[in-house]
Amino acid sequence: AVISFSDTGPGVDKDLIDKIFEPFFTTKPKGTGLGLATARRVVEAHGGWLECLPRRSRGACFRITLPLKEK
């Protein structure tokens, strides 16, 4: 299953994409830097992955991919 979501904010600079999932990395003055790191760990714990897609115009776009379990 694939879930994509985006916003209309300033987006993620290309040179920061590799860093944004590191714990305690933030570009916000009052951010903790734990949101994306935690989200990625939860997704990976379920056998999936979370990625930030390259910016096409304005905003950030993320994609979660999760395996489907057969019954």
Side-chain angles (χ1 to χ4, degrees), residues 2-62:
V2 178
I3 304 165
S4 297
F5 50 96
S6 59
D7 63 24
T8 57
V12 179
D13 289 333
K14 233 178 6 178
D15 53 331
L16 296 180
I17 287 179
D18 291 334
K19 295 180 180 183
I20 61 171
F21 294 105
E22 294 176 10
F24 305 109
F25 176 81
T26 184
T27 59
K28 297 179 181 179
K30 293 187 177 186
T32 62
L34 293 174
L36 287 172
T38 302
R40 180 176 260 184
R41 289 188 74 183
V42 169
V43 170
E44 289 176 348
H46 291 279
W49 59 92
L50 169 61
E51 58 190 323
C52 180
L53 303 175
R55 184 168 37 171
R56 292 184 195 161
S57 58
R58 190 174 173 168
C61 185
F62 292 87

